[in-house]
Amino acid sequence: MSEDTAAVAAQPRTPVAKASSVTALLASPAGRNTGLVIALILLCLGGVVTAGDRFADIDNVLTILRLAAVIGVVSIGMTFVITGGGIDLSVGAIVALSSVWATTLATQGIANDTHWIVIVFTALLVGGACGLVNGMLIAYGRVVAFIATLASLAAARGLAEIISNRKTQIVNVPGFAAFFDASVLGVPVLVVIFAVVAAAGWVLLNRTTFGRRTFAVGGNPEAARLAGIDVRRHTVWLYTLLGLCCGLAAVMLIARTTTGSATHGGLYELDAIAAVVIGGTLLTGGRGTIAGTVFGVLIFTTLSNVFTLNNLSISAQAVAKGAIIVVAVLLQQRLARRSGA
């Protein structure tokens, strides 16, 4: 019996080992990012096949990057909030409110008398203040994040309509549009801003105490509290950071459209959450990736561009995005179960 047992134990377990190694690879950051790169490449090939030179044209590529830059900045901030175990449904409304407040006649008058940077500071201040309010309601008011940010969505959008009187505000400040329309070594300034924000977000999340605390708070708030982390204060910082990202996105949107409007930022909350989830950040918190979010933004923006070039409806785009999100969440759950087994 002992010899039989030894023989059984000595039998190779190659299939199981291979399966576990593949699962581990897919669950790793490198594996997830590789999958996203492959998906983006396949999507680009599909664009070339279906739209030809219209897709591969350098102007179209720059258009994709400009569109990705605005929602990308919001998505970077959303990555921090979701990694920390939260959610924010008000980002689109905050972008709209920031754009309206930063382009009022009073704000533009001050900017004309001083410098166009006043518009930037105003948008950042409004976005940061909205994020601070959300964080205070959630952390100290004990309001569920979903409800608090849903209320903020309605309030911010309504306030934007009141301030603008439901009219589009045209920006007429010398130097503002010229600065953001410029390029750095052929790369649009908006894309450079997105790249800088993404790089700064990666360093903040992966190389600082703030990032480690974010992972801890999202993974297990009670354990984080026992470890000496002020969970409520950190939560406020996370939502304030997202608010600042919304303010910056509003500046970029103002520069791209030369307008401030209460309609800006429509469905940004869904696009940002979708990009974060596709990138590999867990909706339950405790795990997040800036690089994955960047790829998620590029995938969705490229998908929309391919659909537009092929004259497919917005409804079809929404169906495709919904299917991708469902597949991504199911894959996340399956990999999480296997890695935990």
Side-chain angles (χ1 to χ4, degrees):
M1 293 292 292
S2 60
E3 292 181 356
D4 293 341
T5 303
V8 172
Q11 289 180 355
R13 300 181 181 182
T14 305
V16 177
K18 286 184 177 179
S20 60
S21 63
V22 171
T23 301
L25 176 62
L26 291 175
S28 67
R32 290 193 300 270
N33 290 339
T34 301
L36 291 171
V37 171
I38 293 173
L40 182 58
I41 292 174
L42 292 176
L43 190 57
C44 290
L45 290 176
V48 171
V49 170
T50 58
D53 293 338
R54 289 182 300 157
F55 177 83
D57 184 72
I58 187 63
D59 289 334
N60 184 62
V61 174
L62 292 177
T63 298
I64 293 175
L65 293 177
R66 288 192 189 95
L67 293 174
V70 179
I71 187 61
V73 169
V74 177
S75 300
I76 296 298
M78 185 70 79
T79 302
F80 280 88
V81 168
I82 293 180
T83 301
I87 196 74
D88 194 336
L89 303 180
S90 64
V91 291
I94 293 176
V95 169
L97 178 60
S98 299
S99 75
V100 165
W101 210 314
T103 56
T104 60
L105 292 177
T107 304
Q108 292 194 56
I110 297 174
N112 281 318
D113 292 337
T114 55
H115 194 276
W116 57 260
I117 200 70
V118 170
I119 294 177
V120 177
F121 285 147
T122 301
L124 291 175
L125 182 62
V126 173
C130 291
L132 177 63
V133 171
N134 282 339
M136 295 292 289
L137 286 174
I138 294 165
Y140 294 98
R142 306 284 185 179
V143 181
V144 177
F146 182 89
I147 300 300
T149 56
L150 185 63
S152 296
L153 182 156
R157 188 73 72 178
L159 184 57
E161 292 178 350
I162 292 173
I163 293 174
S164 65
N165 196 25
R166 296 189 175 184
K167 296 179 181 178
T168 299
Q169 300 173 165
I170 307 299
V171 178
N172 187 20
V173 178
F176 177 80
F179 176 82
F180 288 97
D181 284 340
S183 299
V184 179
L185 299 177
V187 180
V189 168
L190 295 183
V191 179
V192 173
I193 293 174
F194 176 37
V196 170
V197 171
W202 185 90
V203 172
L204 184 61
L205 186 62
N206 297 284
R207 294 293 184 267
T208 66
T209 302
F210 183 87
R212 289 191 292 273
R213 288 178 177 176
T214 301
F215 287 118
V217 170
N220 191 326
E222 182 59 22
R225 185 186 67 80
L226 294 175
I229 299 175
D230 190 332
V231 175
R232 291 189 294 181
R233 183 174 63 184
H234 192 79
T235 299
V236 172
W237 279 115
L238 289 175
Y239 281 92
T240 303
L241 176 62
L242 176 53
L244 289 172
C245 288
C246 290
L248 180 57
V251 173
M252 298 166 71
L253 195 56
I254 293 170
R256 188 163 62 83
T257 63
T258 65
T259 63
S261 173
T263 61
H264 280 338
L267 297 180
Y268 269 24
E269 54 278 354
L270 298 183
D271 290 340
I273 293 172
V276 172
V277 171
I278 287 297
T281 298
L282 288 180
L283 277 173
T284 53
R287 191 185 80 189
T289 163
I290 297 296
T293 295
V294 171
F295 283 122
V297 170
L298 292 176
I299 286 173
F300 275 117
T301 308
T302 304
L303 178 68
S304 297
N305 182 263
V306 172
F307 273 59
T308 301
L309 291 178
N310 287 280
N311 296 320
L312 298 176
S313 67
I314 296 178
S315 300
Q317 294 182 35
V319 172
K321 287 182 179 180
I324 292 173
I325 295 170
V326 170
V327 171
V329 172
L330 291 176
L331 184 60
Q332 278 189 4
Q333 292 176 346
R334 185 168 183 178
L335 291 176
R337 285 196 299 268
R338 287 190 175 184
S339 61

